[in-house]
Amino acid sequence: MLLVLPFALVALPWLSQVPSAAAGKPCSVTILEGSTIYVEYNTTLSLNCTSSCEDTQDMNWETSLKKKTVRGGNWTSVELSDVTLWNTSVICYALLRNAEDTLQQEAAVIAYRPPVSVNIVLDEEIMEVNRSYPITCNITNVAPLRNTLVSFRRGEDTLHVVTFENTGTVEGVNLQLTHNHIAQKADHRMPFSCLVELDLQPEGRLFKASSKNVTVRTFALPEKPTIDMPLYVEKGSEVTAKCQVSGVFPAEEANLRLTLNGEDLNATVKRMDGTMTAEAQGSPSSAEYTVSCSPILWDKVKVTENIGYVYTFSNPVLQVTDANTKMGNDVTINCSLAEAEPADIRFNMTVGGAPLSCEEVSLFQQLCTLPAQMKDHAKEVVCDVQLRLPSQIISKQASARLNVTYGPVFSDSDCPSVQTLVEGRTGTISCRAEGNPAPYIKCTKDGNETSDFARADSGTYLCTATNSEGVAGRNVTVTVEYQPTISDIEVIEPKGVITKGETVTLRCLASGLPPPKYRWSIPKVESVTYSSDNSTITVHDAQTHHSGSYACSITNAHGSHKLEKNIRVTDLMQIILAAVLGAAAGCGLLTAAIGYYLYYRAQKIRKYKLQKAGQASTGQKLMPNGESSATH
Ligand SMILES: *[C@@H]1O[C@H](CO)[C@@H](O)[C@H](O)[C@H]1NC(C)=O
Ligand SMILES: *[C@@H]1O[C@H](CO)[C@@H](O)[C@H](O)[C@H]1NC(C)=O
Ligand SMILES: *[C@@H]1O[C@H](CO)[C@@H](O)[C@H](O)[C@H]1NC(C)=O
Ligand SMILES: *[C@@H]1O[C@H](CO)[C@@H](O)[C@H](O)[C@H]1NC(C)=O
Ligand SMILES: *[C@@H]1O[C@H](CO)[C@@H](O)[C@H](O)[C@H]1NC(C)=O
Ligand SMILES: *[C@@H]1O[C@H](CO)[C@@H](O)[C@H](O)[C@H]1NC(C)=O
Ligand SMILES: *[C@@H]1O[C@H](CO)[C@@H](O)[C@H](O)[C@H]1NC(C)=O
Ligand SMILES: *[C@@H]1O[C@H](CO)[C@@H](O)[C@H](O)[C@H]1NC(C)=O
Ligand SMILES: *[C@@H]1O[C@H](CO)[C@@H](O)[C@H](O)[C@H]1NC(C)=O
Ligand SMILES: *[C@@H]1O[C@H](CO)[C@@H](O)[C@H](O)[C@H]1NC(C)=O
Ligand SMILES: *[C@@H]1O[C@H](CO)[C@@H](O)[C@H](O)[C@H]1NC(C)=O
Ligand SMILES: *[C@@H]1O[C@H](CO)[C@@H](O)[C@H](O)[C@H]1NC(C)=O
């Protein structure tokens, strides 16, 4: 039977469908399992083939596999045990009774191996962000490869897929696939796995197999931490060290460790958006100290170290003997320092900012002498010590204030020797004096102190300043000014009746300081002259039109005053003419005229006598511009 087949195959065209001789209808042979059949490798495959032809005489299978055939009327089934061929085919054929045709149907039989063992291999489960790490998927004995798909997965996400669509390999193979993954923050604490899918659809099944999950951790420690601390620290003082590092991931799982000379400090750690800061205090004891800062993430550590120095610098001690001293005494100033390390120090001794002359007793001591002077009072003595470190200068000071006592001293600016006051206005002599303690000042004239200054208080005052250290005196000339007043307008000449043609002289009798300015208001200005200061007015060749009111006004800085006087110029000739012409006037008038003449003469004699008497006592003469005036 098997021997016949090759001939049949060669002689007859392979047909799966022929028109049925009996019915005239087309009929066919069909392998019920389809034209492509997947079978798991090394297992048994059962196939069934049917013929639709009425005149089917015989049916059989052709295969290179070990077979066990069962025949029905118009069907045949075969059992193929232990399929160990990866790619083979089977043929079902039917021999028709009344025809010489042979109908056949071929099917491809492909063995498969479902993925059973999938392993994921990561070199490191802690990965640094942005670095590449290989992820390997190990899959044992899978076939066929072209239906195999391998996914590298992170959680539910697919990172990478490998397919083998065009491969010719049909046998089962072990796969070792590597994907280089760039670590990301998103990977942190995510499960990584390999998924293998063997997709035999639509003819076969879809097999899936996944590796175990490997949880990875990712981290970032990109930067070196920076340490902020003082380069120099005074011995015994506390140093604050700060450390900062950015870009730390995951910051919440990281820590910052600060050490001082290798010993852990109790640091306060803060985290903000991947930036971590730590702050701690410590007291270094050695001359040199080291602070280290280490961000720690699980077993990952990045260390930075800084070196600082410890110096010794005691406070300067300033002794001033005596800070309370009398002017002229020597003040001794002693400034010393207990210790300084490094011993590079400079003293700067000053009083009121000016340098003091000092002697260097030792590297650590200065001794200065200051002859106390007035100007040194209340000044500060400063002992400024500088410690010179290689890149820094540290200074410390001690100071004391001087109290130099000295007797009173007058100066022209504080107590002018010429002063002016105004009568009636509050005001007193302006006089101060320097001195320590502050001196007491008193100004007297003839032993008396004045409070309300009047014109009579002008004169020289003796001002005295007194304190515990002594007394000083100063003469102050005081002028008391006052407002002007006119006491009278005196007719100097003529005495008595002013007759036409006479020369009339009027004087405005006034007082005032400073001397007032005079101004006249008169009836007629012609043939009138003034004295140089305008205090006196002279009418030459007086006429009746010069009669009237003569007003004198005076002014100085403190006020003004005005007084008027009526002057009458008489025409004697008119009177005499009237007497002569007035016949009716008779003796009475003549007697009156004679009487008047006699009276006039008497007045002239009286005036002469008065002038004689006035010349004898000039001291009492009226002074128009005098400070004092007296009327006689
Ligand atoms: C097929 O399977 C049998 C047992 O099930 C085993 O003994 C044999 O070695 C297998 N053959 C192959 C080629 O794997
Ligand atoms: C093969 O198929 C035919 C038709 O469907 C059926 O009658 C027969 O029982 C089948 N044989 C086997 C072994 O299943
Ligand atoms: C096979 O033969 C049986 C009777 O012998 C018939 O009932 C059936 O329809 C036939 N099947 C085909 C596919 O022709
Ligand atoms: C099986 O072999 C045949 C012939 O050698 C070939 O054409 C076919 O592509 C192969 N099938 C697979 C799945 O490799
Ligand atoms: C992966 O498979 C290869 C070959 O099958 C094997 O040599 C290797 O040891 C496997 N690796 C791991 C980690 O299982
Ligand atoms: C692996 O992780 C994924 C995603 O979280 C989850 O769906 C799956 O069940 C896990 N597999 C195993 C074996 O734990
Ligand atoms: C560390 O500092 C914290 C807060 O500043 C404090 O509560 C704690 O007692 C300190 N621990 C030690 C050992 O000094
Ligand atoms: C000393 O101190 C005074 C006042 O502070 C300063 O003006 C002067 O420059 C200093 N002299 C030196 C040498 O430092
Ligand atoms: C200065 O010394 C005088 C005299 O000893 C004293 O009365 C005064 O109170 C002192 N002043 C200060 C500011 O110490
Ligand atoms: C000083 O005052 C006394 C009494 O108060 C008085 O008698 C004397 O005249 C005054 N001396 C002068 C110059 O004013
Ligand atoms: C004040 O003047 C008087 C008189 O001229 C004089 O004796 C006295 O010494 C002067 N006093 C002072 C402090 O100048
Ligand atoms: C005197 O008075 C006249 C005007 O009346 C004036 O021009 C002159 O300046 C005055 N002279 C003085 C010294 O006051």
Side-chain angles (χ1 to χ4, degrees), residues 99-236:
E100 289 179 340
D101 294 333
T102 304
L103 285 181
Q104 54 185 304
Q105 173 73 48
E106 188 180 9
V109 173
I110 298 164
Y112 69 86
R113 277 278 205 184
V116 279
S117 165
V118 183
N119 279 315
I120 184 166
V121 182
L122 274 103
D123 286 355
E124 298 194 53
E125 291 178 15
I126 294 178
M127 305 191 289
E128 187 167 353
V129 170
N130 287 341
R131 272 185 57 190
S132 176
Y133 292 86
I135 302 174
T136 301
C137 278
N138 237 7
I139 304 137
T140 38
N141 207 358
V142 64
L145 214 46
R146 63 166 63 173
N147 296 77
T148 305
L149 185 135
V150 180
S151 309
F152 292 80
R153 286 163 70 84
R154 179 184 69 193
E156 302 294 335
D157 303 332
T158 300
L159 301 172
H160 183 64
V161 174
V162 182
T163 56
F164 307 89
E165 276 150 3
N166 299 317
T167 187
T169 310
V170 287
E171 70 268 22
V173 287
N174 292 330
L175 288 175
Q176 185 174 359
L177 303 172
T178 299
H179 165 60
N180 284 322
H181 176 66
I182 312 281
Q184 297 154 26
K185 288 182 183 174
D187 299 340
H188 186 55
R189 297 218 181 268
M190 289 299 282
F192 278 65
S193 61
C194 286
L195 174 68
V196 180
E197 288 167 278
L198 181 66
D199 189 357
L200 304 176
Q201 296 178 110
E203 296 86 3
R205 280 178 60 198
L206 169 66
F207 295 93
K208 281 191 184 189
S210 189
S211 72
K212 69 177 179 9
N213 282 330
V214 176
T215 301
V216 306
R217 287 184 285 171
T218 52
F219 73 95
L221 268 183
E223 288 176 15
K224 273 187 91 176
T226 53
I227 299 174
D228 176 22
M229 64 177 215
L231 182 57
Y232 298 104
V233 178
E234 187 170 354
K235 188 179 180 180

Side-chain angles (χ1 to χ4, degrees), residues 41-43 82-84 113 141:
Y41 184 75
N42 199 9
T43 58
D82 307 335
V83 179
T84 51
R113 277 278 205 184
N141 207 358

Side-chain angles (χ1 to χ4, degrees), residues 20 62 86 99 173 187 220 315 337 361 390 403 507 534 606 617:
S20 173
E62 190 184 302
W86 292 102
V173 287
D187 299 340
N315 284 318
L337 203 65
V361 177
N403 182 8
R507 180 183 284 168
N534 284 352
R606 202 173 112 99
S617 57

Side-chain angles (χ1 to χ4, degrees), residues 32 48-50 70 74-77:
L32 295 177
N48 195 351
C49 182
T50 61
V70 178
N74 48 6
W75 58 271
T76 178
S77 72

Side-chain angles (χ1 to χ4, degrees), residues 37-52:
I37 298 146
Y38 289 103
V39 58
E40 187 172 351
Y41 184 75
N42 199 9
T43 58
T44 300
L45 174 66
S46 295
L47 301 174
N48 195 351
C49 182
T50 61
S51 167
S52 59

Side-chain angles (χ1 to χ4, degrees), residues 516-520 530-534:
K517 289 217 177 328
Y518 295 80
R519 212 169 52 78
W520 290 91
Y530 296 90
S531 66
S532 63
D533 67 349
N534 284 352

Side-chain angles (χ1 to χ4, degrees), residues 404-423:
V404 180
T405 53
Y406 56 95
V409 182
F410 281 113
S411 69
D412 202 53
S413 58
D414 283 346
C415 188
S417 58
V418 176
Q419 299 188 24
T420 301
L421 296 172
V422 179
E423 185 183 65

